[in-house]
Amino acid sequence: MFDLFDKIEEAIRDLLMNFVSSNLTTMFTDVNEKTGSIASQVGQTPQSWNGSIFDMIHSLSDTVMVPIAGLIITFVLCYELITMITDRNNLHDVDTWMFFKWFFKAFVAVYLVTHTFDIVMAVFDVGQHLVNAAAGVIGAETAIDITTTIAEFQTQMETMELGELLALALETGLISLCMKIISVLITVVLYGRMIEIYLYSSVAPVPFATMTNREWGQIGNNYARGLIALGFQGFFIMVIVGIYCVLVQAMTVAADIHSALFSIAAYTVILCFALFKTGSISKLIFNAH
């Protein structure tokens, strides 16, 4: 009779241990895949991330925004000329040099608008260079050693009572679900940044058309700061991944299995939270708003 209860208890223990091991393996695999793809995702330029979207944005910029930018240039240059003349005592102190300066501003404005997309892509090429350079310096693996970690957990689970195993199974199930959500949030950050880049690129000719005027130029200057902030955001993401690498590699499975489990979850939550903050930090540094 007692042998029957012992066999039932042993079967339940095996079932719970397998359930915990399965949860841990799925949890670590999801996080490893997502963190491992961060560098490759961030290091891509708008052209390489999705060629079809890039071609559509390029076409929208050239066919829709450039004509609007031409109208804005016309208005800004006329405003500039009127202001320049009226500031000189209503044509009483006219200097021929100011007309050369006006023609130079007109040339620069037209050049910026007609080459806007090249300038915008150059910013993100620089950003990609920074990301690749940062990846070479960080050089650490973001992956958690699943085999070794699961083996250490397995050893500790063999000494647990049935009730503690049941609590651990519920705990790992909950944490595994949370880690899946975090994995999705990391994807949202990476895809959201790239979509923001496409949105910025699509309207680039309009703010660039205002940059040669002292008063209207604030629009173009703020746009340029936001553009640079987006490019540098990739670098900050790589810094966050590097910090995560150090935390994960320094982690050891403690004597308390629950402490080790929540430490792994906490590091990944911190990674996700910090990734969400990279955009605002980058804009704050470059005074973009």
Side-chain angles (χ1 to χ4, degrees):
M1 186 70 175
F2 289 107
D3 290 341
L4 177 61
F5 285 129
D6 290 339
K7 289 181 179 180
I8 293 174
E9 181 181 348
E10 188 65 28
I12 295 174
R13 286 177 58 85
D14 290 340
L15 180 65
L16 291 174
M17 289 175 64
N18 290 333
F19 180 73
V20 170
S21 298
S22 176
N23 283 338
L24 292 172
T25 302
T26 303
M27 177 175 65
F28 294 148
T29 300
D30 289 343
V31 175
N32 285 349
E33 289 178 354
K34 190 53 59 183
T35 54
S37 67
I38 289 177
S40 60
Q41 287 279 344
V42 174
Q44 290 183 339
T45 60
Q47 301 98 307
S48 58
W49 192 77
N50 191 305
S52 299
I53 296 178
F54 176 80
D55 291 339
M56 180 188 68
I57 295 300
H58 194 177
S59 178
L60 285 173
S61 178
D62 289 344
T63 59
V64 178
M65 290 300 160
V66 169
I68 297 175
L71 295 175
I72 293 175
I73 286 178
T74 303
F75 171 79
V76 168
L77 289 176
C78 290
Y79 177 80
E80 179 87 14
L81 184 60
I82 293 170
T83 304
M84 196 162 43
I85 292 174
T86 55
D87 284 347
R88 293 285 183 156
N89 195 18
N90 291 325
L91 292 175
H92 287 89
D93 297 325
V94 174
D95 184 1
T96 55
W97 166 249
M98 71 180 188
F99 291 105
F100 287 104
K101 184 171 69 173
W102 184 84
F103 279 115
F104 177 74
K105 284 188 174 182
F107 169 77
V108 171
V110 172
Y111 182 86
L112 287 175
V113 169
T114 53
H115 293 80
T116 295
F117 220 79
D118 296 332
I119 297 171
V120 170
M121 292 304 110
V123 172
F124 294 117
D125 286 340
V126 173
Q128 184 191 28
H129 172 74
L130 290 174
V131 169
N132 293 335
V137 172
I138 291 171
E141 291 292 334
T142 59
I144 300 171
D145 187 352
I146 297 176
T147 304
T148 304
T149 304
I150 294 298
E152 293 182 20
F153 277 129
Q154 193 80 24
T155 302
Q156 294 188 41
M157 283 189 292
E158 291 175 355
T159 62
M160 291 182 177
E161 297 295 333
L162 188 61
E164 192 175 2
L165 272 176
L166 180 60
L168 182 62
L170 295 175
E171 186 179 301
T172 55
L174 178 62
I175 294 178
S176 179
L177 177 62
C178 293
M179 298 288 261
K180 286 183 181 295
I181 296 174
I182 290 172
S183 179
V184 173
L185 292 177
I186 292 174
T187 302
V188 169
V189 173
L190 298 177
Y191 279 57
R193 172 180 175 266
M194 194 57 68
I195 291 173
E196 190 174 359
I197 288 174
Y198 287 132
L199 291 176
Y200 259 72
S201 303
S202 64
V203 298
V206 172
F208 266 68
T210 67
M211 295 189 73
T212 56
N213 183 261
R214 181 177 301 175
E215 297 180 16
W216 286 69
Q218 295 178 2
I219 299 173
N221 291 335
N222 185 66
Y223 173 84
R225 288 195 294 266
L227 202 64
I228 296 172
L230 271 176
F232 272 80
Q233 185 185 359
F235 173 77
F236 293 128
I237 289 175
M238 288 305 302
V239 173
I240 296 300
V241 172
I243 294 172
Y244 177 80
C245 290
V246 175
L247 292 175
V248 167
Q249 296 304 323
M251 185 201 71
T252 55
V253 179
D256 184 2
I257 189 172
H258 304 283
S259 175
L261 194 60
F262 278 102
S263 293
I264 297 169
Y267 292 156
T268 310
V269 170
I270 292 170
L271 169 68
C272 182
F273 175 76
L275 288 177
F276 270 105
K277 294 289 291 181
T278 53
S280 59
I281 291 172
S282 185
K283 289 182 179 180
L284 182 64
I285 290 174
F286 290 98
N287 194 28
H289 52 80

